[in-house]
Structures are given as structure tokens and as C-alpha cells.
Amino acid sequence: MDAVRVAHLREALAGTEWVQSARRFAGSLRTSVTPHRGGLLLVGTETYEPWHLAAHLDDEAAWSGQPELSPTLVRHRVPPAAPAHLSAGLGRIEAAGRRETVLVVSPGDPGPELLERVHDARRAGATVLALDEGGGAGGTAELQGIAHDALSADAAEVDLEMVQHLVSAAAGETFQGRRGPSGAPGLPAAGSRPTFRDRLSRIAEQLSAPPPTRW
């Protein structure tokens, strides 16, 4: 990721709507997965797998003490030699129910096969969340119609890659009302958790790196 885009992401911290929108969406994510202690299914499109979002949510789950944020990456094609934690195919979404959350990341038209499975999951009681590039046409509009909550990127301001990192950073943030390690509501012990700004600075510097070994 070049320096201009890193600077753009950091500037987004200055009270813009993107920070608040990311926090709202991350709140929907936490509200969905927390009561069930997990059940987060993360899926992209046939041509796009959200590796980095999976890795960063996994990191946030560990750093924030919220293990329910750790996702299962669902894949359109599972290679024969894939390890167990990377072997979930689209049938996993089709089988999703009330205790699960399906988070769809779509840089374009998600395609009829994925939409059908996501729609089935919603009918079965799963919570559906969507991150996309907007546009409001075709499969994107249909995905937004299925989703309980959706957040769209704006290519002129913040692209989908940046939106994913804003959301993952916000997902592990400590909000007022949550007890930090010190036991004080919303006040984590000094030095125990990075701030939202710290998370975004760290994430911005990692955007061009390959996925961690686990992914």
C-alpha cells in the first residue's frame, strides 16, 4: 500500500463519517456474534477471497479479548490439500442458522450462486451483513436487500479495502459500557489495548503484506 493511501486512511480518523459508519457496522457485527460466542462466517465472491479481513478479525479477536470475532473463511473453491480451517465451502453458508452470522465482502456482483445461499441462510435465521463497493445495481442491490446491515465503499473517498480495515479496527475497539482489563467500564488498563488510532496505523502499514501463515 503506497504512502498516499496510508495517509488517506489515517486522515479518515479525523471525525469523518467513515469512522462513525465503520463503528456502527462493527457494532452490528459484535451484537450478532457475541450472544452466540462466535459463529462468524466470512465469504467473498468467486474471484475475491477476503484473506486480510479474516486475518485482521482474527487478530482483533485475540487483542480485544473477544474470541467471537474470529471468523471461519468460506471459500468458493476448496483445494484438495487445504488445511481443515480453510476447508469450508459454500455449503457451510447454506447450512447456516440462527446462531450464525454471514459477513459477505463483495467488490462487485456477488453472483447468483452466492446470493441464493446467503438468502437461504437469512431465511433460516442467520444474520447477514455486507461490505461492498456500492453502485446499487444488479447483484449488489440484491445483496444489500438481503443484508440486515450493509456498508458500501465510495471509490472517490474510501475504497473497499480501506473500509474492511476500518471495520476490523473498530470491531475490537473498547466502547463505553464494556469492561476493560482494569475492571472499569470502558476504561482498559493503561497500555493493555491499542486505541482505534493505533490499530489503524498498524493495519495501514500491513495492508500490502501477504496473509499471515494461518491464512
Side-chain angles (χ1 to χ4, degrees):
M1 188 177 190
D2 60 58
V4 172
R5 292 179 69 201
V6 170
H8 190 175
L9 183 58
R10 287 173 174 164
E11 287 171 3
L13 293 170
T16 70
E17 65 178 73
W18 292 108
V19 173
Q20 296 307 315
S21 294
R23 282 174 167 161
R24 173 194 56 74
F25 188 88
S28 295
L29 175 59
R30 284 193 309 273
T31 298
S32 178
V33 300
T34 299
H36 307 303
R37 300 184 181 275
L40 177 57
L41 306 177
L42 176 63
V43 63
T45 65
E46 189 172 0
T47 58
Y48 176 81
E49 287 188 326
W51 291 97
H52 276 107
L53 180 56
H56 289 311
L57 284 172
D58 211 31
D59 285 344
E60 292 297 340
W63 291 330
S64 68
Q66 299 176 81
E68 60 271 15
L69 291 174
S70 184
T72 294
L73 183 65
V74 177
R75 312 177 70 183
H76 286 250
R77 296 185 181 85
V78 180
H85 73 285
L86 294 177
S87 296
L90 288 181
R92 183 67 185 83
I93 292 178
E94 192 173 3
R98 294 184 179 279
R99 299 179 62 83
E100 289 160 311
T101 299
V102 179
L103 174 54
V104 183
V105 181
S106 177
D109 190 335
E113 185 179 11
L114 177 59
L115 285 172
E116 181 179 357
R117 284 171 165 78
V118 172
H119 198 268
D120 287 344
R122 169 155 182 160
R123 280 199 299 257
T127 298
V128 176
L129 304 174
L131 294 173
D132 60 50
E133 287 189 339
T140 300
E142 186 173 350
L143 175 61
Q144 292 175 351
I146 296 171
H148 292 87
D149 195 359
L151 180 59
S152 297
D154 182 343
E157 297 182 2
V158 179
D159 64 23
L160 184 59
E161 182 178 293
M162 291 182 181
V163 167
Q164 290 179 69
H165 289 84
L166 285 167
V167 168
S168 63
E173 189 178 17
T174 301
F175 286 85
Q176 185 174 3
R178 291 188 61 89
R179 291 190 176 273
S182 66
L187 296 173
S192 63
R193 293 186 185 181
T195 64
F196 187 58
R197 181 184 295 272
D198 291 337
R199 281 189 168 92
L200 283 180
S201 294
R202 173 182 50 75
I203 288 171
E205 292 164 359
Q206 295 174 348
L207 285 179
S208 61
T213 304
R214 168 175 159 77
W215 302 102

